[in-house]
Amino acid sequence: MRPFRRRATLVALLLLSACDSAAGERDAAYVPDASAWAQGGDLASLGATEPWSFFDVPHDEVGFEGAPMAVQITPDGAFNTGFGELALGLGRDGAAPAPRVRELRHGYLPILAYSVPRDGLTYRVEAWAAPLDLDPAQELLCFVRVRATGTGEAHVTARFADWVADGSRVEREADEDWFVDRLLDEARWAEPTTLRRDGGRVFRNDHLVLRAPADGGVGDGFAWTATVSPDAPLQLDFVLPLVPVAPTRDDVVQRVLDASPDAASEAVEGYWRGRLAEAMSIALPEPKVVDTFRASLAWLLIARDVTATDRVVQTVSENTFKDFFPRDAAYMTRTYDMLGLHDAAFDTLERFIVYGADGPARLERLQPDDWGQSLWALGGHLEMTGDVDFAAWVHAVVTPHLDALEAATAADPLGLWPAAGPYDNEALDGHHYVGHSLWVLLGLAEAARLCATVADTACEDRALALRDGYLGRFLDALDPLTEETGGYIPPGLEVATAGFDWANVSGGVYPFGVFAPDDPRATATLARVRPGRYREGLMTYGPNAWAMARADAAGQPIAPGDLHHYLTMYVTQSLLASGAQEPVVADLYAVLAHTSNTHGGFERVIQPYGYADPQWNRPPHGWFAARYLELLRNMLVREDGEDLHLLSAVAPGWVAPGQEIAVERAATRFGDLDLHLVASEDIAVLTLTPRWRTPPRAVVVHVPWFVELVDARVDLGTVTRIEGAVVLSPEATRVTLGWLRPEAPPALSYAAAVQALLRKRLAPPTDPLEASLLLPPGPGAR
């Protein structure tokens, strides 16, 4: 078996980059708090310095990379382990904190905090999670610090409360039994609850569940009253073991009691600074854009769980869809590779593989749509690393995977991936999913790449022949539908009005490569979906765009469905591939405006202009995180065939006079690259530091749509001007662009998107055609 490449000890990461760049270290004040919208307020009533969070009902988690579980911060500000929770009361009335807005340390590290004003004082609660010895297979401790500042009398209560069945609380799942059983006496824990406090220690049914300052003990809980001043705040530290510790594990009990919050805080911050410093780094003038990038990577890594056999399972989130889904994990694997975290990508890939006596034997099949995604994940790792040994090691899985495809398509009347029930996403019942065929075609291309790398020409030829035949049959089924719809690609292949929009809204462009960006089917799909399905600047999840158009034509309009955060980026990525810039930037800001102040995204449930409660669909959602990382990376650095494209879509504020864009350690299929752009009034200088493994055919540098290019010079090789871009030889390391700016640049920014979202939510538009928050309704019929 190929050696497992997860580090033997995560403590080694503490040696990496003890101090990150100062860039991005600032307070969390982005734009006004929108809490007033729920009370019927208006923009004038909103504070000017409050952090922004889209969610009326917030959810967050405190976890650590590899730890199989995490602690949930509930909407009312408690710390829930799934076994029970640390419930806090703040102020004279002892009310729960109920903080709507939370924040991350330095804006992006997964150390969470919230502040609550009560009785003239400020109560700040901060939490961080650290497994013992920073080993994710050991007990995870959640450290909670409460600090009261100001002048007056502070009141804090704390107690351990049993977990209750509540839609806002996370319940633990059975696949963590190996982790729980070492620490918990299940039989004793299941008996009727008996709480006991011994000084600062709280036991439930003899299990240690909480450590608190001993001086506040009252009954089985705690209460403190103290006079505070600016020079004398009240500070209280709590330690919450994730899994209650049975008395037989007195060694773990003692370690919980001895744990130092300050040492853990320092270790956790050092860990995350080091870990994130291994990945692609981005510096932009807008902190929110960069902080969401870095925090999204942390959320993805936290959703990686070690198993009893020391393998890794990539889940969607520790608190939502906590399981391995090949389609989600394929995107996450690709994202790790795109950011240069090839070790994390490899660890994640191992879950796709079923081993035989001699190594990888086949790919595991779990969902009806995962045939192509699995090959895409494998092929992407090969593409981004150039690791021929990896291709040789995994090559054995390709033939049985192709055999399974041939067997499935041979039994299907259309010769395609078989029809499926309404299991997810497109919600088609007994139809052929367009998305399944797009993934099959992409998977076959990746199979051919793997086989070609190890010189297995028979396998390569087989994969390419299968792709050619499959594409012909797919187009035979699709063409009558696109003739009916004017080019729009529907979700299914039987009835154009059936099903919900999903992968079809990509137009088959990205990541599939089935249709070119200028293919009439792709352009028609994007033109119909964007104005017809967007609400609040996001895609909606509901009846497809053609069904909505037919209903409108019949005078019986139908609702578009829920807001869908990451589904939006299927559209945005294909727009990016087509060379569009302005709508891509507008989509980026709409996506950001719908995140929390801790940069968490959601999936669905929230209605357009409705109350922003994600309910069971709790942020941070891993697939959102992966797709955001992928989008921002591609906006700055992306591959297209044999060419490398840089700065494909940049916001006006990023290239304002005196501003800079910097990217370090950008992993590409051609090798790694650093880039640094410095903009002035009439010139921009782009410096490139490539470390090519295989140089690209050309480097295409895109020119912002809002400037007029007047000159382009390069230090090495050639430079050619084309529409909207310049084309460089791969040996170039410095290009100077001369341009003319408009008198007023487009008003596209994160702050503008938040203000636009607030206006729409306070006074929903009567015209539903809203292609974005920041741009006028686009052309095209619904």
Side-chain angles (χ1 to χ4, degrees), residues 458-770:
C459 178
E460 179 189 8
D461 291 345
R462 180 189 180 193
L464 292 174
L466 285 172
R467 190 181 188 280
D468 288 344
Y470 193 102
L471 179 60
R473 297 189 298 273
F474 172 62
L475 294 179
D476 287 343
L478 180 64
D479 285 348
L481 295 174
T482 54
E483 289 177 10
E484 174 190 343
T485 64
Y488 160 79
I489 301 171
L493 290 173
E494 275 75 18
V495 180
T497 55
F500 291 3
D501 281 320
W502 195 257
N504 60 299
V505 301
S506 70
V509 176
Y510 183 91
F512 306 106
V514 174
F515 298 126
D518 60 355
D519 186 285
R521 289 160 292 202
T523 57
T525 300
L526 295 174
R528 182 171 294 282
V529 165
R530 189 177 169 80
R533 294 302 312 278
Y534 273 41
R535 298 294 185 273
E536 299 186 19
L538 298 184
M539 264 294 291
T540 50
Y541 179 67
N544 73 58
W546 183 246
M548 291 185 67
R550 295 306 87 206
D552 282 353
Q556 298 177 329
I558 51 180
D562 308 342
L563 295 175
H564 201 297
H565 212 173
Y566 63 81
L567 177 57
T568 307
M569 288 177 270
Y570 260 131
V571 178
T572 313
Q573 290 278 14
S574 289
L575 287 169
L576 184 67
S578 74
Q581 294 189 45
E582 188 175 31
V584 169
V585 173
D587 276 13
L588 173 77
Y589 286 134
V591 163
L592 286 169
H594 287 82
T595 60
S596 68
N597 197 56
T598 54
H599 318 303
F602 65 105
E603 187 177 58
R604 45 175 293 254
V605 176
I606 298 170
Q607 297 298 302
Y609 316 113
Y611 192 61
D613 178 5
Q615 300 176 37
W616 49 268
N617 199 279
R618 306 176 188 93
H621 196 288
W623 205 346
F624 167 84
R627 298 233 61 179
Y628 177 81
L629 290 162
E630 174 196 38
L631 174 61
L632 187 58
R633 180 263 189 191
N634 283 351
M635 289 173 67
L636 300 173
V637 180
R638 68 180 175 90
E639 302 88 350
D640 186 358
E642 296 307 309
D643 298 332
L644 182 65
H645 289 247
L646 306 179
L647 309 177
S648 295
V650 298
W654 303 354
V655 291
Q659 299 298 342
E660 301 182 16
I661 297 173
V663 178
E664 296 180 357
R665 301 180 301 280
T668 79
R669 73 170 63 140
F670 310 108
D672 290 353
L673 173 74
D674 300 338
L675 70 83
H676 185 203
L677 182 132
V678 180
S680 61
E681 179 63 37
D682 56 3
I683 201 170
V685 178
L686 176 64
T687 303
L688 305 177
T689 308
R691 296 173 290 282
W692 303 131
R693 186 171 61 247
T694 302
R697 178 179 58 190
V699 177
V700 182
V701 180
H702 292 256
V703 177
W705 79 94
F706 49 86
V707 303
E708 178 186 348
L709 182 67
V710 296
D711 183 44
R713 289 168 287 145
V714 71
D715 64 340
L716 298 172
T718 61
V719 58
T720 304
R721 292 172 60 175
I722 62 174
E723 183 178 356
V726 297
V727 182
L728 316 178
S729 306
E731 60 265 28
T733 62
R734 181 183 174 94
V735 58
T736 303
L737 305 175
W739 58 35
L740 296 175
R741 296 177 179 272
E743 290 187 10
L748 295 177
S749 68
Y750 170 67
V754 170
Q755 293 297 322
L757 177 58
L758 285 166
R759 284 192 294 271
K760 285 179 179 288
R761 286 192 146 249
L762 290 168
T766 55
D767 181 358
L769 298 179
E770 46 170 346

Side-chain angles (χ1 to χ4, degrees), residues 136-156:
Q138 294 197 49
E139 171 74 291
L140 186 74
L141 304 184
C142 178
F143 297 86
V144 179
R145 174 166 290 169
V146 179
R147 188 176 175 86
T149 58
T151 301
E153 191 171 72
H155 301 266
V156 177

Side-chain angles (χ1 to χ4, degrees), residues 290-320:
V290 178
D291 287 346
T292 303
F293 185 85
R294 295 193 282 192
S296 292
L297 179 54
W299 295 135
L300 271 190
L301 292 169
I302 286 172
R304 285 157 45 86
D305 295 350
V306 297
T307 69
T309 56
D310 202 33
R311 295 181 71 184
V312 169
V313 174
Q314 179 72 58
T315 71
V316 175
S317 164
E318 291 301 292
N319 288 328
T320 301

Side-chain angles (χ1 to χ4, degrees), residues 304-501:
R304 285 157 45 86
D305 295 350
V306 297
T307 69
T309 56
D310 202 33
R311 295 181 71 184
V312 169
V313 174
Q314 179 72 58
T315 71
V316 175
S317 164
E318 291 301 292
N319 288 328
T320 301
F321 302 116
K322 184 174 165 50
D323 206 343
F324 173 78
F325 297 91
R327 57 178 174 270
D328 305 49
Y331 269 100
M332 296 167 189
T333 302
R334 290 281 297 195
T335 298
Y336 290 139
D337 273 323
M338 293 170 96
L339 302 187
L341 293 183
H342 304 307
D343 65 326
F346 179 82
D347 294 349
T348 306
L349 282 173
E350 284 209 308
R351 180 62 181 82
F352 289 83
I353 296 169
V354 177
Y355 288 92
D358 299 320
R362 61 181 176 84
L363 294 176
E364 186 166 16
R365 296 292 322 288
L366 297 176
Q367 275 95 35
D369 63 345
D370 63 15
W371 189 92
Q373 280 105 319
S374 299
L375 283 172
W376 179 57
L378 295 176
H381 188 64
L382 172 61
E383 174 189 4
M384 299 301 287
T385 63
D387 188 346
V388 177
D389 290 340
F390 168 78
W393 175 74
V394 81
H395 166 249
V397 307
V398 176
T399 294
H401 213 57
L402 296 180
D403 291 344
L405 174 69
E406 286 200 282
T409 55
D412 182 74
L414 299 183
L416 300 175
W417 193 255
Y423 69 97
D424 202 358
N425 301 342
E426 291 93 330
L428 289 161
D429 190 1
H431 292 214
H432 290 81
Y433 286 51
V434 165
H436 292 183
S437 286
L438 295 177
W439 282 114
V440 165
L441 290 164
L442 179 55
L444 286 167
E446 297 293 358
R449 183 207 305 272
L450 278 165
C451 294
T453 301
V454 297
D456 185 346
T457 55
C459 178
E460 179 189 8
D461 291 345
R462 180 189 180 193
L464 292 174
L466 285 172
R467 190 181 188 280
D468 288 344
Y470 193 102
L471 179 60
R473 297 189 298 273
F474 172 62
L475 294 179
D476 287 343
L478 180 64
D479 285 348
L481 295 174
T482 54
E483 289 177 10
E484 174 190 343
T485 64
Y488 160 79
I489 301 171
L493 290 173
E494 275 75 18
V495 180
T497 55
F500 291 3
D501 281 320

